[in-house]
Amino acid sequence: TAAGMGIEVFEYTCAGAVVYCATGNSHVVPITPGQYHLVRVFSATPGTFSICVNEAVSNDDCVNAPGLSLNLFGDCPANGSAGTTLGATPSGTISCTGGPANGVWYQFSSNFYYYSVTHAFIDLGAGTAGGLGIQVFDNDCSGPAVYCGTGNAHSLPVTYGHIYYVRVFTATPGTFTICASASVVNDDCVNASGISL
């Protein structure tokens, strides 16, 4: 029955530093790992309420990016991995659309054991998420991005032996699938296929 609600979050003790304070019913709070936090709930109109705390998704930050297999061309989206941006935060990265869209991170290696890969393809399948897009970073989480685009199908040049970090962002948080594949073997002249005469 409460109305005009908000929270104030303190670190470690009631007299500790205020790390967050805002009105509303849904909040994303920056926290210090391993630290106790106290939450003060306030309301303009006294009454009853419920409160629930969830942690962010595990790959909300680049340092926790799970690996993606680099599939043979044509093996996506059948080999896609399930993902979600529900519970994700902006993680300090600006999206292609210019805003701090919430996103989750993945990584893949361009070391393909069949041949030297020149391009990688990233395919996204929309579940409940809307407005999908990706940012790709070369060997580093911080950028600048080597590729940025919205939509479900992406192609980007890659350098053999590099690790690429992929940030998937969505305008509407929800579920999706992600799959990475390599360019075909004869995509580059050095891997030209022989033709019998």
Side-chain angles (χ1 to χ4, degrees):
T1 59
M5 299 185 69
I7 64 169
E8 188 175 17
V9 181
F10 299 84
E11 191 171 74
Y12 193 64
T13 69
C14 296
V18 175
V19 295
Y20 181 86
C21 187
T23 57
N25 293 346
S26 182
H27 306 273
V28 177
V29 181
I31 61 171
T32 303
Q35 187 69 275
Y36 285 103
H37 295 80
L38 292 100
V39 180
R40 176 179 170 263
V41 179
F42 57 87
S43 64
T45 304
T48 59
F49 65 91
S50 62
I51 184 170
C52 183
V53 179
N54 297 295
E55 63 181 342
V57 291
S58 61
N59 58 337
D60 186 49
D61 288 310
C62 185
V63 294
N64 297 320
L68 292 173
S69 298
L70 195 58
N71 293 279
L72 287 168
F73 183 77
D75 286 351
C76 288
N79 292 327
S81 299
T84 183
T85 53
L86 293 168
T89 66
S91 304
T93 303
I94 302 300
S95 74
C96 306
T97 56
N102 297 356
V104 290
W105 294 85
Y106 297 88
Q107 63 171 299
F108 71 90
S109 170
S110 61
N111 290 357
F112 201 55
Y113 56 93
Y114 289 114
Y115 50 88
S116 179
V117 174
T118 60
H119 284 75
F121 301 94
I122 307 292
D123 293 303
L124 301 174
T128 60
L132 289 156
I134 66 169
Q135 288 173 285
V136 182
F137 300 83
D138 186 355
N139 280 335
D140 192 307
C141 297
S142 59
V146 296
Y147 176 86
C148 202
T150 56
N152 292 8
H154 306 273
S155 172
L156 59 137
V158 294
T159 303
Y160 186 79
H162 286 213
I163 301 293
Y164 290 89
Y165 294 90
V166 181
R167 180 174 178 268
V168 178
F169 60 88
T170 60
T172 303
T175 59
F176 62 90
T177 60
I178 181 170
C179 189
S181 59
S183 51
V184 292
V185 63
N186 59 343
D187 185 52
D188 193 68
C189 181
V190 297
N191 298 319
S193 300
I195 299 174
S196 298
L197 297 176

